Amino acid sequence: MKPTKDKEMIVKQTYWKNKQFAYRAAEHLTTICRLGILSVCLSWLYSSNYLWFNVGALFFAFTLVPRIALPKSNLRVITDTSISFLCCTHIVLGMNLGFYESYQFYDKIMHAFGSALLTFLIITTVVQYCKHKKFTLPLFLHFFLVLGSSISLGTIWEMFEFTVDQTGLFNAQRGLQDTMLDLVANFTGIICVMLIYLKTNAIQKL
């Protein structure tokens, strides 16, 4: 019995070490992303680009929401890092370095990547909620709940882009084809994460 207990202790210690390492790595990545956004915002302020400075400041504030709104947990770490990384790639690469204008595919990658992250966060939230309430949600209900939520939020984002374009300050939507390709990219990111989740869930039940 003793060798078995010793082996279990080693496995548990390894698990906690890996978990702590992952937490530290996530915290460092989150900090780097926030510093990147902040430095770009300050450069825009210095160059008197007040419109983009306000946009950057808004995204920077958005990265702080998970840390303020969520209790300390795995969900907060995942949400905090995911949102910070997504906002950083949008502000630093997309807007500041002009990737949206220079590379047409970058916008589609961001839509797919953003939708994938959003879907992953929704899955994690539903799983954590079910564990907290101590009940099991049928897999097909879980699937359609996450799928419907992700698609709805992607559609709301397109509506937001349309609304912003009406102000004349930005040109986020470049015609019907661009909008439809954005929706296709959103759906692709959502489906990829959902298929990975379903496959992982199926393997765990074998």
Side-chain angles (χ1 to χ4, degrees):
M1 294 295 293
K2 187 175 179 181
T4 304
K5 289 184 178 179
D6 290 342
K7 187 176 181 180
E8 289 178 355
M9 287 296 295
I10 293 173
V11 171
K12 288 181 179 179
Q13 289 175 357
T14 303
Y15 169 77
W16 283 109
K17 285 182 180 178
N18 291 338
K19 190 174 182 179
Q20 289 174 355
F21 174 78
Y23 278 172
R24 287 196 297 269
E27 289 288 344
H28 291 324
L29 178 59
T30 302
T31 301
I32 291 171
C33 290
R34 288 195 180 119
L35 288 176
I37 296 172
L38 185 61
S39 62
V40 168
C41 286
L42 292 177
S43 69
W44 286 339
L45 181 62
Y46 179 77
S47 61
S48 301
N49 191 344
Y50 299 118
L51 175 60
W52 282 30
F53 167 75
N54 288 326
V55 172
L58 182 63
F59 273 85
F60 179 79
F62 185 57
T63 65
L64 303 176
V65 171
R67 187 171 292 271
I68 297 172
L70 297 175
K72 190 174 183 180
S73 62
N74 293 341
L75 179 60
R76 190 181 81 172
V77 173
I78 295 171
T79 306
D80 202 16
T81 304
S82 299
I83 290 178
S84 296
F85 182 76
L86 189 62
C87 289
C88 181
T89 53
H90 171 66
I91 294 296
V92 178
L93 299 180
M95 293 182 65
N96 188 56
L97 296 182
F99 276 29
Y100 287 129
E101 301 297 332
S102 302
Y103 308 102
Q104 294 182 359
F105 63 87
Y106 184 76
D107 180 54
K108 309 313 169 198
I109 292 175
M110 284 296 293
H111 273 275
F113 181 64
S115 296
L117 278 179
L118 179 64
T119 304
F120 177 71
L121 291 176
I122 294 174
I123 290 174
T124 306
T125 302
V126 173
V127 170
Q128 293 291 330
Y129 180 80
C130 291
K131 286 182 179 179
H132 178 70
K133 294 297 183 179
K134 297 180 180 179
F135 72 89
T136 303
L137 189 68
L139 186 59
F140 77 94
L141 285 179
H142 191 174
F143 177 86
F144 285 110
L145 174 63
V146 174
L147 182 64
S149 300
S150 300
I151 292 176
S152 297
L153 290 173
T155 304
I156 290 173
W157 176 259
E158 290 301 319
M159 293 170 62
F160 169 74
E161 286 188 348
F162 173 77
T163 303
V164 170
D165 284 351
Q166 302 313 300
T167 65
L169 299 174
F170 294 96
N171 184 26
Q173 292 182 322
R174 298 172 178 84
L176 178 60
Q177 183 178 7
D178 178 70
T179 301
M180 292 307 299
L181 289 175
D182 286 348
L183 292 173
V184 170
N186 292 343
F187 188 72
T188 301
I190 293 168
I191 290 299
C192 286
V193 174
M194 292 300 298
L195 290 177
I196 293 172
Y197 171 71
L198 289 175
K199 184 176 180 180
T200 303
N201 194 278
I203 292 174
Q204 290 176 348
K205 290 183 177 181
L206 292 178

